[in-house]
């Protein structure tokens, strides 16, 4: 699969560290809607590391096949849920013609929320999220997920968007709210990595436009007050990276 959404689950209730894998595009241009859980097991006398991958079924309002989307874990009121947003998929069957059979569009800007214990999924529409976006970044802390950057097929642009989604896992239905923030950056398809136990990240790579790579790096810090983006001194890129159009 190419461009699936991957989300890390910290160990809990005696369960090992694991990863959720959703969607993606195959080399045959098929787009997946499957959800898998990848776990590791190092038990046994020789402590050999074993990988186990199982498909998880979802019920309810299930996200369709897509790629270029994100998944994040949120925690609220002692509960945990997975947030799925964005992505790209094929044009709806009723709108496809012979010429546009393999044409892709941004998925509707819905937020999907599902729990892993019961496999229930629900779709949520928020007025602040009015346009689809793909290949954005998602960073989560406690009950908040920040969506940063991304590419929009409708406008063929990378607007410097930054949204904060807050998820309250109430007893009945979850409560979702969204704020538009002013400190976004224009970027898509970037790499983001966490640098330690705190919510401190580094962003590198990605694209500012179809023909312009982003050579700058950024530090992202998420704390109780919100999200903070700061420029970071870039490494000495090799000529192969500097002159290539792709990362």
């Amino acid at each position: 699969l190419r461009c699936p959404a991957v989300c890390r689950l910290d160990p809990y209730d005696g369960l090992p560290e694991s990863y959720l894998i959703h969607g993606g595009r195959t080399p045959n241009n098929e787009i997946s809607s499957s959800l898998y859980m990848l776990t590791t097991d190092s038990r046994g006398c020789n402590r050999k590391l074993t990988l186990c991958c199982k498909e998880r079924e979802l019920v309810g309002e299930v996200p369709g096949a897509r790629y270029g989307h994100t998944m994040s874990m949120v925690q609220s009121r002692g509960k945990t849920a997975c947030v799925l947003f964005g992505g790209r998929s094929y044009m709806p069957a009723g709108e496809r013609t012979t010429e546009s059979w393999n044409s892709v569009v941004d998925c509707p800007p819905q937020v999907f929320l599902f729990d892993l214990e019961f496999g229930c999924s629900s779709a949520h529409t928020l007025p602040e999220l009015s346009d689809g976006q793909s290949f954005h970044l998602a960073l989560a802390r406690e009950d908040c997920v920040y969506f940063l950057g991304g590419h929009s097929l409708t406008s063929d642009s990378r607007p410097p968007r930054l949204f904060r989604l807050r998820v309250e896992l109430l007893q009945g239905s979850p409560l979702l709210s969204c704020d538009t923030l002013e400190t976004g950056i224009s970027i898509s398809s970037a790499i983001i990595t966490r640098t330690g136990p705190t919510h401190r990240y580094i962003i590198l790579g990605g694209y500012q436009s179809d023909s312009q790579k982003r050579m700058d790096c950024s530090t992202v810090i998420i704390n109780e007050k919100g999200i903070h983006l700061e420029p970071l001194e870039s490494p000495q890129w090799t000529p192969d990276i500097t002159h290539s159009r792709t990362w």
Side-chain angles (χ1 to χ4, degrees), residues 154-232:
T154 304
S155 60
D156 190 20
S157 64
R158 294 166 175 81
R161 293 182 289 198
L162 177 59
F163 301 104
R164 178 177 58 206
L165 176 74
R166 175 169 279 110
V167 180
E168 294 184 69
L169 300 175
L170 305 177
Q171 270 300 105
S173 301
L175 178 63
L176 280 71
S177 59
C178 186
D179 298 311
T180 303
L181 306 181
E182 301 293 334
T183 54
I185 56 177
S186 179
I187 193 171
S188 67
S189 303
I191 296 172
I192 186 164
T193 183
R194 193 165 169 172
T195 59
T198 60
H199 289 273
R200 186 183 183 93
Y201 306 84
I202 291 178
I203 299 175
L204 64 95
Y207 296 87
Q208 293 175 293
S209 68
D210 289 344
S211 59
Q212 184 179 4
K213 296 188 300 182
R214 186 175 186 269
M215 307 303 293
D216 300 326
C217 299
S218 303
T219 297
V220 182
I221 301 170
I222 304 177
N223 55 29
E224 297 81 1
K225 297 180 180 180
I227 185 170
H228 310 276
L229 286 84
E230 302 173 359
L232 179 67

Side-chain angles (χ1 to χ4, degrees), residues 75-142:
Q75 297 177 335
S76 170
R77 302 174 184 262
K79 302 177 184 177
T80 302
C82 181
V83 174
L84 184 150
F85 178 68
R88 198 162 285 175
S89 189
Y90 284 125
M91 188 178 293
E95 302 175 17
R96 297 165 75 180
T97 64
T98 303
E99 292 77 15
S100 64
W101 195 254
N102 289 325
S103 297
V104 294
V105 294
D106 287 323
C107 297
Q110 292 178 304
V111 174
F112 290 90
L113 193 68
F114 50 87
D115 69 83
L116 300 178
E117 183 178 359
F118 301 105
C120 299
S121 175
S122 57
H124 305 267
T125 301
L126 296 100
E128 294 81 5
L129 302 174
S130 58
D131 297 315
Q133 63 190 87
S134 307
F135 302 105
H136 54 282
L137 298 173
L139 304 93
R141 176 188 168 99
E142 297 174 356

Side-chain angles (χ1 to χ4, degrees), residues 3-154:
C3 305
V6 180
C7 179
R8 176 178 177 270
L9 281 72
D10 292 320
Y12 68 98
D13 292 341
L15 298 176
E17 175 186 1
S18 57
Y19 293 84
L20 288 177
I21 304 170
H22 180 273
R25 191 171 183 172
T26 72
N28 293 328
N29 280 336
E30 298 170 341
I31 302 177
S32 172
S33 61
S34 298
L35 175 68
Y36 299 95
M37 178 174 284
L38 180 70
T39 58
T40 60
D41 187 359
S42 60
R43 292 176 294 182
C45 57
N46 57 2
R47 309 297 289 178
K48 182 179 180 181
L49 183 65
T50 303
L51 294 177
C52 179
C53 188
K54 294 183 178 180
E55 186 170 0
R56 298 293 301 267
E57 296 291 336
L58 295 176
V59 296
E61 298 171 301
V62 179
R66 63 191 65 205
Y67 67 101
H69 53 305
T70 57
M71 285 195 302
S72 310
M73 298 303 299
V74 292
Q75 297 177 335
S76 170
R77 302 174 184 262
K79 302 177 184 177
T80 302
C82 181
V83 174
L84 184 150
F85 178 68
R88 198 162 285 175
S89 189
Y90 284 125
M91 188 178 293
E95 302 175 17
R96 297 165 75 180
T97 64
T98 303
E99 292 77 15
S100 64
W101 195 254
N102 289 325
S103 297
V104 294
V105 294
D106 287 323
C107 297
Q110 292 178 304
V111 174
F112 290 90
L113 193 68
F114 50 87
D115 69 83
L116 300 178
E117 183 178 359
F118 301 105
C120 299
S121 175
S122 57
H124 305 267
T125 301
L126 296 100
E128 294 81 5
L129 302 174
S130 58
D131 297 315
Q133 63 190 87
S134 307
F135 302 105
H136 54 282
L137 298 173
L139 304 93
R141 176 188 168 99
E142 297 174 356
D143 61 352
C144 289
V145 183
Y146 295 87
F147 301 125
L148 176 63
H151 179 262
S152 171
L153 271 179
T154 304

